[in-house]
Amino acid sequence: MSRVTVALPKAALAGLALAALALCLIGLATGGATPASLAALTTGLSLLLLAGVAWAVRFFDAWQRRRDHQRLDSLLGKAGMACILADFDTGAVEWCNSAAFEHFNLTPPQKITTVLSDLHADPDGFVTRLQDLASLSGRADHRLKLRNCERVYRVEKLGDGQFLWRIALETQADTRDALPFEFAQFQPDGRLDYISPALRQDLSQNRISIDQLFQGTPPPHGQIAPVTLNAAEIERLAVRLETHGAATETVLFLRSQHGLDMPEHSIKPGETRHLQNLPVGLAHITLDGQLTYVNDEARRLLRLRDTYLPVLSDALEGLGRPVLEWIADIASGRMARSTEVLRLNCTLNETYLKVTLTTPPREGANFIVAVLSDVTELKSLEAKFTQSQKMQAIGQLAGGVAHDFNNLLTAISGHCDLLLLRHDRSDLNYPDLMQIQQNTNRAAALVRQLLALSRQQTLKFVTLDLQETMDDVIHLLNRLVGEKVTLSLRHGENVAPIRSDKRQFEQVLMNLVVNARDALPMGGEIRIETASCALPKGLIRENVQLPAGNYTLIKISDDGIGIPQPLLGKVFDPFFTTKRQGEGTGLGLSTVYGIVKQSGGYVFIESEEGVGTTFTLYFAAQTPEPASPDLPKREGLHSTALQSRHALILLVEDETPVRSFAARALELQGHRVIEADCGEAALDILQDPSIVPDCFVTDVIMPGLDGPSWIAQIRPRFPDTPVVFMSGYAEDSRVAAQARISNATFLGKPFSLVEFTQTVHAQLRLPTKVA
């Protein structure tokens, strides 16, 4: 059906004919046989001849198209599949049969991509791909699997730029019909989803739910029981399978008590051919605990590789009492059924099976029936939930300890700083004071670790340039790893900044590098790499869903001793350590996990024993922040007191030692301080209209009114007065309340004398006086 097409539009053909006629008339009008007249006449006749040829070719092309369409009508017009003739260049449909018109409501000249737009997410790409394949090999086939059928596409190249599409819907036989047992499946809401062929003949077609299928109640979950079907009162022995997360629920029909499809007598251990292929684990157990029969699913669950059948107590553990007592409870009739979750013996990975023992199917039987199902995933979810509860309890404990402990550390560190102001390096007491200060700092770092693992510390988020940050900390890391270990740092190109607390991010790097150093007892190399990573579709890794976006990656890897696979899931647990007693606290990696998660990042670990370990950190990529301009002087602070470096400060703190230190620190700077031990006392003080503080310094958490609450009450009277909130442990709600108060800043405990005075003076826009 190939042909040559001269595609001249009608307007062009008409213009060509008129031009030819005009030239002929010019030639005749000039008269005589002059060269000009002859040339005009010749040109006109030539154009007229060309126009006639074009008209003839166009007529022949249209006739040929009609002939081709008539042939297609005679061959494929009545075909059951949809047939469509499409042009490659324009995508326009030139012809279609009746099936295509009915199925797609198609009328030419629609485009083939429009026809397929409801069937494919990318119809343009789909059409182009199949037609390109057909151009190369003459034909292209594609099958699209649907739920119970396949949509089959065949594209053939017919001529220059013409393709014949054939689209058929092939219904597939339900593979469940071939299974050698009878069963029915239902949706979670009870609607009928499938019923096996033999049962379809016995049941009327209007049985659409599980309640309508049975007379009385359906069989209970996990228990073999006699039931009566609601059609012709057919009696069956059935079991309702327990499903965890499955889309459908299944009821198996094991036998008919009237001999319709199985022997009339009860099931015996030797009559198991109908049970062998069931998709549920079934086993027969003698009264002394010996397995005498397992079907294929039970053999898979129990990891049995040969014909040997063990004793139940050898295959499973974790019952907590003798297995024979458990079996005796069922065999004696004291319990109709009993369910336990047991752990499978002799497996590298922990596997848990739910085992339900039921009474035997006939009286006097010397065995009982066990129904088995895999609940490892459910057990894992239970363990994660338990772990989250433990973390919540640890977080609450850490928060309470941190609040009280940081108050003590603030008082110790602050009064130590006050003593150091009166002792120089030549003083005999100076080394002792420095020891107090250093150990206070160590205690403060331990409290920060406790808060980090519970993700309840207060972070000061800033945008960090990784190259600049790592260049600052690499010298400290080199000192940490020692001489036998080499530390290499490699930055990727155009790595975006991240958002985190600078000090805590450096703590993450230090903990991971120290962990890698300890895994290299004979020396080696630790590699730190940064890179950019785009995840347009997100990422699922280790059951964690990373949303779509751009990320900055940080990898810390070593070639050390590695971590055994069974321990990989515990490395981030608090107080878990593989080091000997006294060598590790078990807080290093849990602190890393807490800081990264609190910063909105993700941390993953890959390790192989004897090969090495790699930690990968994902942080959301940030845009670099522009340089912040210098803040202008705040208007309204032009009193004589402030101009002479003195201010009136209202200090509210419930801990007496901390309040004493803070008051003395401010008085040493020349300020006047009014002290209050609670928010209510501060409100009483401010009832005096003559007291107008220049700054409020308040603890966040106090008995009665907390800091943000009492500040909110007096804010209408003092809208521009600066506020300094301080706390050793600030809950999210209190931090959010502080953020809603204008001209306020936060200072975390414990803090030093210099940090405290600098923060207050920054709020007052005053320089700090060097003592």
Side-chain angles (χ1 to χ4, degrees):
M1 296 178 63
S2 62
R3 59 180 179 274
V4 178
T5 302
V6 177
L8 290 177
K10 293 180 180 180
L13 289 174
L16 186 62
L18 289 175
L21 184 59
L23 288 173
C24 290
L25 292 175
I26 292 172
L28 294 173
T30 54
T34 63
S37 62
L38 291 177
L41 184 62
T42 302
T43 304
L45 291 174
S46 300
L47 292 176
L48 188 61
L49 179 63
L50 180 60
V53 171
W55 276 105
V57 170
R58 186 178 182 86
F59 175 80
F60 178 75
D61 178 65
W63 172 83
Q64 193 175 26
R65 285 177 183 272
R66 287 194 299 271
R67 186 197 63 180
D68 293 344
H69 294 172
Q70 289 173 356
R71 289 179 178 177
L72 288 173
D73 281 331
S74 61
L75 293 174
L76 302 173
K78 303 296 184 182
M81 69 180 69
C83 300
I84 302 171
L85 184 67
D87 182 77
F88 177 76
D89 293 326
T90 64
V93 174
E94 299 181 356
W95 171 88
C96 68
N97 68 349
S98 57
F101 177 79
E102 293 174 2
H103 292 165
F104 301 110
N105 194 21
L106 172 62
T107 54
Q110 284 181 283
K111 290 190 175 183
I112 185 67
T113 53
T114 305
V115 176
L116 302 179
S117 60
D118 294 334
L119 305 179
H120 295 274
D122 182 17
D124 293 328
F126 178 74
V127 169
T128 302
R129 184 171 67 254
L130 286 188
Q131 292 187 159
D132 287 344
L133 290 174
S135 298
L136 293 174
S137 57
R139 191 182 79 182
D141 294 325
H142 178 77
R143 287 180 174 268
L144 179 65
K145 291 186 178 294
L146 304 175
R147 183 175 181 183
N148 294 319
C149 61
E150 278 189 336
R151 187 180 292 116
V152 181
Y153 297 90
R154 172 168 292 180
V155 183
E156 297 177 85
K157 184 178 181 182
L158 299 184
D160 295 335
Q162 284 188 314
F163 294 89
L164 179 63
W165 286 72
R166 305 181 194 221
I167 306 173
L169 203 64
E170 295 183 359
T171 303
Q172 296 175 319
D174 199 322
T175 56
R176 293 176 289 187
D177 291 346
L179 295 176
F181 47 83
E182 295 180 2
F183 65 100
Q185 289 186 320
F186 302 87
Q187 297 291 336
D189 59 1
R191 290 182 294 107
L192 181 65
D193 181 72
Y194 170 82
I195 191 164
S196 53
L199 287 173
R200 294 176 203 158
Q201 300 175 5
D202 298 332
L203 301 175
S204 59
Q205 297 299 316
N206 61 354
R207 306 298 174 190
I208 60 173
S209 69
I210 190 170
D211 294 328
Q212 295 174 338
L213 182 62
F214 301 99
Q215 282 187 1
T217 60
H221 285 96
Q223 182 176 353
I224 300 175
V227 296
T228 302
L229 298 180
N230 212 354
E233 298 185 351
I234 300 173
E235 294 184 357
R236 297 279 190 177
L237 192 66
V239 59
R240 189 174 177 182
L241 306 184
E242 294 191 86
T243 56
H244 301 285
T248 57
E249 187 175 4
T250 303
V251 176
L252 298 174
F253 298 92
L254 304 182
R255 71 180 179 92
S256 169
Q257 294 190 353
H258 296 302
L260 293 178
D261 58 348
M262 291 185 65
E264 193 169 325
H265 52 73
S266 300
I267 296 177
K268 297 179 181 178
E271 300 168 350
T272 56
R273 62 186 180 88
H274 294 277
L275 306 177
Q276 195 64 30
N277 296 322
L278 293 179
V280 61
L282 292 177
H284 294 165
I285 307 173
T286 61
L287 302 184
D288 59 357
Q290 176 66 48
L291 289 169
T292 58
Y293 165 76
V294 292
N295 68 350
D296 292 343
E297 179 66 9
R299 184 175 294 276
R300 184 188 69 82
L301 293 174
L302 293 171
R303 308 291 197 272
L304 303 178
R305 300 184 180 276
D306 49 32
T307 57
Y308 171 72
L309 297 179
V311 179
L312 183 63
S313 58
D314 293 340
L316 299 169
E317 64 180 7
L319 180 61
R321 61 170 176 154
V323 173
L324 295 183
E325 290 185 9
W326 187 32
I327 295 175
D329 288 341
I330 303 299
S332 63
R334 291 193 295 270
M335 300 175 64
R337 59 181 296 205
S338 178
T339 300
E340 298 286 349
V341 176
L342 306 178
R343 183 182 181 275
L344 190 63
N345 265 332
C346 305
T347 57
L348 295 177
N349 299 321
E350 290 187 346
T351 302
Y352 292 90
L353 300 181
K354 182 179 181 180
V355 182
T356 301
L357 298 187
T358 63
T359 55
R362 61 183 174 87
E363 295 183 1
N366 61 350
F367 69 94
I368 61 175
V369 177
V371 181
L372 298 87
S373 59
D374 191 340
V375 292
T376 304
E377 184 177 355
L378 187 64
K379 197 73 175 178
S380 175
L381 291 175
E382 181 184 344
K384 290 180 180 179
F385 177 71
T386 303
Q387 177 67 14
S388 67
Q389 287 184 314
K390 288 165 58 178
M391 289 297 296
Q392 184 179 5
I394 290 175
Q396 292 174 346
L397 175 64
V401 169
H403 177 256
D404 295 335
F405 200 56
N406 279 332
N407 277 327
L408 298 175
L409 292 176
T410 301
I412 296 171
S413 175
H415 285 92
C416 181
D417 288 342
L418 291 174
L419 288 173
L420 285 172
L421 293 178
R422 302 194 298 269
H423 297 77
D424 57 19
R425 294 180 181 272
S426 61
D427 197 298
L428 294 177
N429 295 324
Y430 187 83
D432 298 331
L433 293 174
M434 290 302 299
Q435 283 292 325
I436 296 173
Q437 189 181 59
Q438 291 173 7
N439 284 279
T440 303
N441 293 335
R442 289 182 58 191
L446 181 61
V447 175
R448 285 196 298 271
Q449 283 186 316
L450 286 172
L451 286 175
L453 68 90
S454 62
R455 286 178 263 169
Q456 294 186 355
Q457 63 178 337
T458 302
L459 300 182
K460 297 179 181 178
F461 290 106
V462 294
T463 301
L464 298 178
D465 181 274
L466 284 184
Q467 184 166 354
E468 179 182 336
T469 302
M470 290 188 174
D471 288 345
D472 291 342
V473 78
I474 195 69
H475 305 291
L476 174 61
L477 297 179
N478 276 318
R479 289 198 297 269
L480 286 175
V481 299
E483 298 179 353
K484 294 191 299 181
V485 177
T486 303
L487 183 64
S488 64
L489 175 61
R490 187 176 68 184
H491 291 291
E493 294 183 1
N494 301 321
V495 177
I498 66 172
R499 189 164 181 79
S500 183
D501 183 289
K502 187 175 188 300
R503 185 173 62 177
Q504 296 302 326
F505 178 72
E506 292 174 352
Q507 184 70 43
V508 167
L509 294 178
M510 290 172 57
N511 288 1
L512 292 177
V513 168
V514 168
N515 185 77
R517 178 203 65 188
D518 295 341
L520 296 166
M522 305 303 294
E525 182 184 9
I526 301 172
R527 296 173 297 279
I528 302 177
E529 303 174 41
T530 65
S532 296
C533 176
L535 301 176
K537 297 182 179 180
L539 176 68
I540 299 178
R541 180 172 176 180
E542 299 174 18
N543 299 323
V544 177
Q545 173 71 51
L546 276 71
N550 295 322
Y551 290 85
T552 295
L553 269 65
I554 304 163
K555 287 187 176 182
I556 294 94
S557 55
D558 63 75
D559 301 324
I561 57 178
I563 303 173
Q565 292 298 317
L567 301 182
L568 274 180
K570 302 179 180 179
V571 295
F572 294 120
D573 291 353
F575 310 112
F576 175 80
T577 180
T578 58
K579 299 176 183 177
R580 290 177 296 182
Q581 188 172 3
E583 293 185 357
T585 63
L587 293 177
L589 293 182
S590 57
T591 300
V592 168
Y593 184 84
I595 294 173
V596 172
K597 295 301 289 183
Q598 197 174 357
S599 301
Y602 303 85
V603 56
F604 301 101
I605 180 174
E606 298 172 282
S607 184
E608 185 176 348
E609 200 168 5
V611 176
T613 303
T614 299
F615 286 90
T616 305
L617 280 61
Y618 287 80
F619 289 94
Q622 305 290 327
T623 55
E625 289 186 350
S628 57
D630 294 335
L631 293 174
K633 283 193 173 183
R634 185 167 54 88
E635 297 180 0
L637 295 180
H638 49 76
S639 65
T640 306
L642 292 183
Q643 290 176 359
S644 59
R645 294 174 45 89
H646 301 301
L648 177 62
I649 298 175
L650 177 57
L651 173 64
V652 185
E653 169 64 60
D654 61 313
E655 290 288 336
T656 303
V658 177
R659 189 170 69 250
S660 173
F661 152 65
R664 289 190 59 190
L666 293 173
E667 289 170 351
L668 286 174
Q669 294 292 318
H671 303 302
R672 291 188 302 124
V673 180
I674 301 176
E675 300 181 30
D677 60 358
C678 61
E680 291 82 357
L683 294 177
D684 291 339
I685 293 172
L686 292 176
Q687 287 182 355
D688 186 348
S690 63
I691 299 178
V692 182
D694 298 300
C695 182
F696 299 116
V697 179
T698 177
D699 193 14
V700 173
I701 300 175
M702 295 180 293
L705 284 176
D706 57 30
S709 298
W710 80 262
I711 287 290
Q713 291 189 26
I714 56 94
R715 207 55 176 162
R717 182 181 167 193
F718 303 96
D720 298 324
T721 304
V723 182
V724 176
F725 288 106
M726 53 185 183
S727 179
Y729 164 62
E731 296 175 354
D732 290 344
S733 60
R734 290 181 167 84
V735 173
Q738 173 253 317
R740 290 193 296 269
I741 296 175
S742 61
N743 198 16
T745 189
F746 183 85
L747 179 62
K749 297 177 183 177
F751 46 76
S752 66
L753 173 67
V754 174
E755 289 174 332
F756 178 62
T757 53
Q758 284 181 345
T759 302
V760 173
H761 286 175
Q763 284 296 91
L764 291 171
R765 305 296 190 269
L766 291 176
T768 301
K769 182 172 64 177
V770 180

